[in-house]
Amino acid sequence: MKLPARHAILRITLPALFILGLGACTEAPDPAPDNCAVKGPNFIADPQFATFDKPRSSRKWHVSQHATSESFRYAVTQDVLMIEQIGVEPWAIVTQSPDPQSLSGKTLQFSAELKLDLTEPEAAHRFKLGGGLVLLAKRNGKILVNSNMDHEPHMGVSDWHTATIVVKIPAKTDYLRLGFINQAGGSISVRNPSLRQIDRSKGDCPATAIGS
């Protein structure tokens, strides 16, 4: 399912703090532990991306990209989302906003299967290069967690693999946004996104996302 060109142009902005934060992380994260146990439902709405091409009021996922020129192509085929750079703008992001009240104070595992075909962009930029998972939590406009590709690999070429971050959502979080970014040349493909609560009764699972 290839999206019409107008689909990308209609949604081009995110709050400025979010975009500035995406370029700020340079510290290498620790890998997510392999033995983290999860429990309960998947808090991701539409993990198959079935609403991606629906009318705006029905979509669970929303697209933004840098500036107004159409520099990225979006497609969903057999439950796989692809974000591909086709122009010179530095980034595009596909996100959704789970209910922050119900997740505030919980430790969550955000994961998805990724396939990377990412290269250095033709137009150099100051943002972190790569593609992968992003998560932003705020309270009263203040950024509490800003996780940007805190996993490996997030650049280069890879076959399907599971990327995972573990995030402690601070108490009284009133804004939560998560999704997938392409901040390089080439493409990133995503399938089976999941957001689930860590089961602390099965052992410790430390946060891996920077800022948690």
Side-chain angles (χ1 to χ4, degrees), residues 120-140:
E120 294 270 348
E122 291 186 12
H125 58 72
R126 64 184 178 88
F127 300 106
K128 180 179 178 179
L129 288 177
L133 312 181
V134 291
L135 184 147
L136 177 70
K138 296 195 290 187
R139 180 174 60 231
N140 297 326

Side-chain angles (χ1 to χ4, degrees), residues 30-38 107-109 166-168 197-208:
D30 293 328
D34 293 331
N35 60 345
C36 290
V38 294
T107 300
L108 304 175
Q109 178 180 277
V166 177
V167 186
K168 174 67 180 294
Q197 185 175 1
I198 294 295
D199 187 353
R200 292 291 190 181
S201 69
K202 301 294 179 63
D204 189 32
C205 184
T208 61

Side-chain angles (χ1 to χ4, degrees), residues 18-67:
F18 193 23
I19 301 308
L20 290 174
L22 288 177
C25 292
T26 56
E27 179 184 350
D30 293 328
D34 293 331
N35 60 345
C36 290
V38 294
K39 63 181 180 179
N42 182 2
F43 295 107
I44 294 285
D46 186 23
Q48 293 82 32
F49 304 104
T51 66
F52 204 79
D53 198 28
K54 300 296 184 183
R56 186 176 179 83
S57 60
S58 302
R59 296 176 204 148
K60 304 301 182 183
W61 298 96
H62 304 282
V63 174
S64 295
Q65 70 172 54
H66 187 268

Side-chain angles (χ1 to χ4, degrees), residues 4-193:
R6 62 174 178 80
H7 211 80
I9 295 299
L10 287 174
R11 296 160 289 159
I12 56 173
T13 58
L14 279 178
L17 284 175
F18 193 23
I19 301 308
L20 290 174
L22 288 177
C25 292
T26 56
E27 179 184 350
D30 293 328
D34 293 331
N35 60 345
C36 290
V38 294
K39 63 181 180 179
N42 182 2
F43 295 107
I44 294 285
D46 186 23
Q48 293 82 32
F49 304 104
T51 66
F52 204 79
D53 198 28
K54 300 296 184 183
R56 186 176 179 83
S57 60
S58 302
R59 296 176 204 148
K60 304 301 182 183
W61 298 96
H62 304 282
V63 174
S64 295
Q65 70 172 54
H66 187 268
T68 57
S69 62
E70 186 182 357
S71 290
F72 289 84
R73 182 174 73 93
Y74 314 88
V76 175
T77 306
Q78 296 182 335
D79 302 339
V80 175
L81 166 69
M82 183 183 72
I83 310 171
E84 179 183 20
Q85 189 189 48
I86 58 173
V88 298
E89 296 299 340
W91 57 261
I93 188 168
V94 176
T95 61
Q96 64 175 250
S97 296
D99 175 37
Q101 276 194 321
S102 64
L103 300 177
S104 179
K106 292 180 170 62
T107 300
L108 304 175
Q109 178 180 277
F110 176 34
S111 66
E113 294 176 48
L114 305 180
K115 185 176 184 179
L116 308 181
D117 189 6
L118 296 171
T119 61
E120 294 270 348
E122 291 186 12
H125 58 72
R126 64 184 178 88
F127 300 106
K128 180 179 178 179
L129 288 177
L133 312 181
V134 291
L135 184 147
L136 177 70
K138 296 195 290 187
R139 180 174 60 231
N140 297 326
K142 179 182 178 181
I143 294 176
L144 304 175
V145 179
N146 188 8
S147 177
N148 177 31
M149 296 181 275
D150 289 341
H151 55 80
E152 296 293 345
H154 63 264
M155 188 64 182
V157 178
S158 77
D159 202 349
W160 286 108
H161 64 279
T162 300
T164 302
I165 59 172
V166 177
V167 186
K168 174 67 180 294
I169 305 299
K172 299 182 180 179
T173 292
D174 58 17
Y175 179 91
L176 183 61
R177 197 173 185 94
L178 56 83
F180 316 101
I181 193 168
N182 184 346
Q183 217 158 242
S187 67
I188 176 174
S189 297
V190 183
R191 69 186 183 191
N192 298 324

